[in-house]
Amino acid sequence: MNHPLMQRFIEVAGRIGAQRHLVAIRDGFVAIMPLVIIGSLGILINNFPPFGSFDLPGILNGIFGEGNWQKVGGSIWNGTFAVLGLLIAFSIAYNLAKSYEIDGLSSGLITAAAYIMLVPETPDWGLSFAWLGAQGLFVAIILALVLTELFRYLLQSRLTIKMPEGVPDGVSRSFTALIPASIILILVGLFQALMSYFAEISIFEWIFNIIQEPLQGLGNTLPAAMVVSFLNHLLWFFGLHGTNIIGSVIEPVYLPLIEKNLSLYQNGVSAFDVPNIVTKPFLDSFVFMGGSGTTIALLIAIFFVIRQEKNHPYREVAKLSTPAGLFNINEPVIFGLPIVLNPIMMLPFILIPVILTVTSYVALATGIVPKTVAILPWTTPPILSGYLVTGGSWRGIALQIFNLTLAIILYIPFVVAGVRALKQRMEAR
């Protein structure tokens, strides 16, 4: 594992994972994730399917009046998914500015104001929700990065109003940002006027047609999902946080896909008929069960293989790792077994998730299992997550059980090999 190419790969991946702008994008998405989850659960409750005689929407409509409860979920949607682009613009700008140790709040507010300036207007002079939401994500990301860098440059150029000592910090910061904010918003206004005159479309439409839509189309394919799964686990194998490193790249692609499914599901479309297969909940619920590497299957395989030796090192690690693994937290087994840089575990840890990506894609693409229509906290345990992300379908649970069984079977030979190798090392001491 000390091959120069491997060392170079680790160094490059580590630098990418620590790159300031990618970290700001990642942290920006993480910051709004509670709102995304709440918005998703609001729609799920509004459209929750009957479970035998239990009809949650019917019960709630009986309490609040027909249709009134759905307004609650609709309002939650309007405050979360419907303004996703605006939230991301502020969040990324804020995090990037804080990384430079400059005024994050001012940077976020300036970016949010600029974003609204660029949003196309409706015929009645309102703002188009279509571009305030997930369709505007790429504009939000670009705007947050560019305007924060410009804001930083203007602050360093001393184009600021300096207040005398004794003025409250909040007032001083607002006046410090006044001139840079004015310059930035004037430039954004000029850009919007030029786009309208020469291109006759908004920057949102242009970027969506040129960049975002093709990437989303590519992301919703089996090969792309397999590449994402492979890279994530390859990075984890070398001790790098694969989820964080590639998260800033895949979030802008996969979040709009689940948003589209959610929007259609909200409007009465069946979970079988929504268009997008590959989404973040697809990977979280059907592939990354127990965490990256589907390590909950590895823990079960260890308990199955090592039944006699109660104090075996592998079994001890598995016992300590299982409580966290049930909630998809798997650092104890990744670093405790270890899986990192363990040549015996390299093949199953990287390839089993890729195989499960294929089985899950086929199950959803053929209509055996409904597509994902909810975003859940990533710590939601398997079985429960499979039921909820598919809109309350037992088929989601069945797919998870099938994938877990397959993963356990595939892990068992490598656990056996690992136990033998450990025994040989201990005998050689």
Side-chain angles (χ1 to χ4, degrees):
M1 294 297 170
N2 292 320
H3 192 280
L5 286 178
M6 288 295 100
Q7 292 296 325
R8 179 63 177 165
F9 170 79
I10 295 170
E11 291 172 8
V12 171
R15 281 200 292 268
I16 291 173
Q19 205 281 327
R20 185 190 303 271
H21 299 86
L22 292 179
V23 170
I25 294 172
R26 183 197 70 204
D27 291 347
F29 275 96
V30 169
I32 68 157
M33 198 51 63
L35 297 177
V36 171
I37 292 169
I38 293 167
S40 170
L41 293 179
I43 300 307
L44 182 61
I45 291 172
N46 274 7
N47 299 274
F48 206 78
F51 192 74
S53 61
F54 179 75
D55 181 6
L56 181 60
I59 294 171
L60 293 171
N61 283 330
I63 297 172
F64 295 98
E66 188 67 31
N68 288 331
W69 173 253
Q70 275 76 4
K71 292 179 182 178
V72 176
S75 298
I76 294 173
W77 174 274
N78 290 339
T80 53
F81 273 97
V83 290
L84 199 59
L86 180 61
L87 296 171
I88 280 292
F90 175 89
S91 185
I92 293 176
Y94 176 87
N95 280 285
L96 181 58
K98 294 298 286 184
S99 75
Y100 283 120
E101 298 184 351
I102 60 176
D103 188 358
L105 182 59
S106 293
S107 180
L109 291 173
I110 292 167
T111 303
Y115 185 91
I116 292 173
M117 289 171 64
L118 294 173
V119 171
E121 295 176 341
T122 59
D124 59 353
W125 304 103
L127 295 176
S128 171
F129 266 103
W131 302 109
L132 281 169
Q135 286 189 181
L137 277 181
F138 273 72
V139 173
I141 293 168
I142 295 168
L143 206 61
L145 299 180
V146 171
L147 296 192
T148 301
E149 290 293 347
L150 180 56
F151 181 61
R152 181 174 70 95
Y153 172 78
L154 293 172
L155 289 178
Q156 292 175 344
S157 300
R158 306 294 182 186
L159 292 172
T160 59
I161 298 173
K162 189 172 179 63
M163 300 298 289
E165 292 184 9
V167 175
D169 286 343
V171 176
S172 179
R173 284 197 301 271
S174 65
F175 274 90
T176 299
L178 179 58
I179 294 177
S182 301
I183 293 172
I184 290 170
L185 295 184
I186 289 170
L187 290 174
V188 171
L190 289 172
F191 175 80
Q192 171 74 331
L194 290 172
M195 280 292 297
S196 299
Y197 182 78
F198 289 105
E200 297 183 349
I201 61 171
S202 70
I203 186 64
F204 286 88
E205 295 166 298
W206 188 78
I207 287 182
F208 184 80
N209 293 336
I210 300 298
I211 301 175
Q212 188 167 342
E213 192 172 34
L215 281 178
Q216 287 174 198
L218 178 63
N220 193 36
T221 62
L222 178 57
M226 292 170 66
V227 169
V228 168
S229 183
F230 176 81
L231 288 177
N232 178 54
H233 293 88
L234 181 65
L235 291 166
W236 266 115
F237 177 76
F238 288 105
L240 303 169
H241 201 300
T243 309
N244 282 352
I245 291 173
I246 68 174
S248 56
V249 178
I250 67 170
E251 288 280 5
V253 175
Y254 285 134
L255 199 53
L257 296 179
I258 185 61
E259 187 271 342
K260 180 69 173 177
N261 283 4
L262 265 167
S263 179
L264 292 171
Y265 186 66
Q266 178 188 16
N267 292 316
V269 177
S270 166
F272 286 99
D273 298 325
V274 295
N276 299 312
I277 297 173
V278 184
T279 62
K280 191 173 185 298
F282 167 87
L283 294 170
D284 288 344
S285 299
F286 299 125
V287 181
F288 303 155
M289 290 174 287
S292 294
T294 322
T295 46
I296 195 168
L298 172 59
L299 298 177
I300 296 170
I302 290 172
F303 288 125
F304 179 81
V305 171
I306 309 170
R307 297 190 294 274
Q308 304 299 324
E309 299 178 58
K310 301 299 183 182
N311 296 321
H312 191 280
Y314 271 27
R315 191 178 175 89
E316 289 296 312
V317 170
K319 284 193 291 186
L320 293 171
S321 303
T322 297
L326 292 173
F327 297 94
N328 304 320
I329 300 167
N330 65 347
E331 279 82 356
V333 67
I334 284 180
F335 296 103
L337 196 62
I339 293 173
V340 171
L341 296 178
N342 182 343
I344 294 175
M345 287 297 168
M346 179 180 182
L347 198 62
F349 181 76
I350 294 175
L351 293 186
I352 286 175
V354 176
I355 294 169
L356 299 190
T357 301
V358 176
T359 61
S360 303
Y361 187 96
V362 170
L364 272 65
T366 56
I368 297 172
V369 176
K371 301 180 183 74
T372 52
V373 291
I375 297 178
L376 305 175
W378 62 271
T379 51
T380 305
I383 306 304
L384 178 61
S385 61
Y387 179 73
L388 292 176
V389 296
T390 53
S393 173
W394 64 267
R395 298 180 186 220
I397 298 175
L399 177 57
Q400 285 189 318
I401 293 172
F402 175 83
N403 281 352
L404 280 173
T405 304
L406 178 60
I408 293 166
I409 293 170
L410 293 174
Y411 263 123
I412 284 174
F414 296 93
V415 171
V416 171
V419 169
R420 287 175 180 170
L422 180 61
K423 183 179 180 181
Q424 290 173 358
R425 288 199 300 270
M426 294 177 70
E427 289 175 348
R429 289 175 180 174

